[in-house]
Amino acid sequence: MTDTPPVGGQPAAPQPPANLPAPPVDAPEGPPARLWDRMRADPQYAPEHLALEAVRRLGPEGAQWAARARADQPGVSADVLADQAARKFLNLARLSGAVSGAAGLPGAVLDVGVLAWTQARMVLHIAAVYDVDPLHPDRATDLLVLQRVHKVAESARLALGVAAGRERADALFGLGGQRPLGHVMLRLGVRLAQMAGVRAAKRMVAKIVPGAAIVLGTWANSSATKDLAERSRALYRPRGAAVPEPRHR
């Protein structure tokens, strides 16, 4: 049996394999501008707004990264991929404190916002390597519990519902309101620092005090992110799976 000749005598274009993972999503390195606007307008629910946006914007990236990593490393275990994801974002977390280049309170808020966003990316990547859907709305709940904004999933879901409702109301009616910028930035910074870890909160305060940030350096970011990676692996690793031996450095 012969192949059907191409139409018009032109050779048919080669078709890519159907199971080839999609190209990576171009995810932002830090919170997008519209998210910053939303968090400034509603600083009380800043972690919830960040978690909702992270799942929308970063979930596809996590899924595609996991698919490509498996395609590039046939037979690799999920634990190995989770370790690769943790190392990748640990390195980014170490750099996040220098992203803004700004001093004082605005720079501190930018730093902890970028750190919280980087940590959310890492959690969604780790979820994906354990075949947990990083685009599912429940991942926003996971983020808030893993990042210790809420102690239990029930309270996280309630807060996410409030934040989502405020997003819709603001889109319809523009209810952001006008409040003193300094008060808003301080409240926003505290909430984001809480999301990024207790040490990140100390680092934010240190950056506001000239010279004090040198003492903390990048250790605070990396330590909080490393702890978060361990909690994420514990949550998403299948029950009954063997826990890998800790690596000695």
Side-chain angles (χ1 to χ4, degrees), residues 27-28 53-63 117-118 120-121 124-125 134:
E53 188 70 14
V55 172
R56 287 191 291 255
R57 298 286 291 265
L58 304 178
E61 178 200 44
W117 185 257
T118 299
R121 287 180 80 187
L124 295 171
H125 276 61

Side-chain angles (χ1 to χ4, degrees), residues 96-103 107 110-111 207:
S96 66
V99 167
S100 70
L110 286 170
D111 287 350
K207 185 162 185 175

Side-chain angles (χ1 to χ4, degrees), residues 69-229:
R70 292 189 189 100
D72 292 342
Q73 305 170 73
V76 69
S77 71
D79 285 325
V80 170
L81 293 180
D83 195 48
Q84 291 174 5
R87 286 200 305 271
K88 172 183 177 180
F89 291 105
L90 182 60
N91 290 333
L92 289 177
R94 290 187 177 118
L95 297 173
S96 66
V99 167
S100 70
L105 181 58
V109 173
L110 286 170
D111 287 350
V112 293
V114 171
L115 176 58
W117 185 257
T118 299
Q119 290 177 342
R121 287 180 80 187
M122 178 187 71
V123 171
L124 295 171
H125 276 61
I126 291 175
V129 303
Y130 287 112
D131 292 320
V132 177
D133 184 4
L135 288 78
H136 194 282
D138 282 351
R139 299 297 80 75
T141 302
D142 294 347
L143 285 172
L144 294 176
V145 175
L146 284 167
Q147 292 177 286
R148 294 175 173 169
V149 177
H150 294 277
K151 292 182 179 180
V152 294
E154 288 77 9
S155 63
R157 289 192 191 98
L158 286 172
L160 285 165
V162 173
R166 292 187 181 210
E167 284 185 15
R168 291 190 292 269
D170 189 47
L172 286 171
F173 308 114
L175 299 179
Q178 297 295 323
R179 282 170 284 184
L181 182 59
H183 174 75
V184 169
M185 291 294 284
L186 181 59
R187 192 169 187 181
L188 175 58
V190 168
R191 293 292 286 153
L192 289 175
Q194 178 189 4
M195 187 178 194
V198 174
R199 295 184 181 91
K202 294 179 180 178
R203 190 177 191 282
M204 189 191 78
V205 173
K207 185 162 185 175
I208 299 172
V209 180
I214 299 172
V215 177
L216 290 166
T218 60
W219 177 84
N221 287 7
S222 61
S223 179
T225 306
K226 190 181 299 182
D227 291 345
L228 177 62

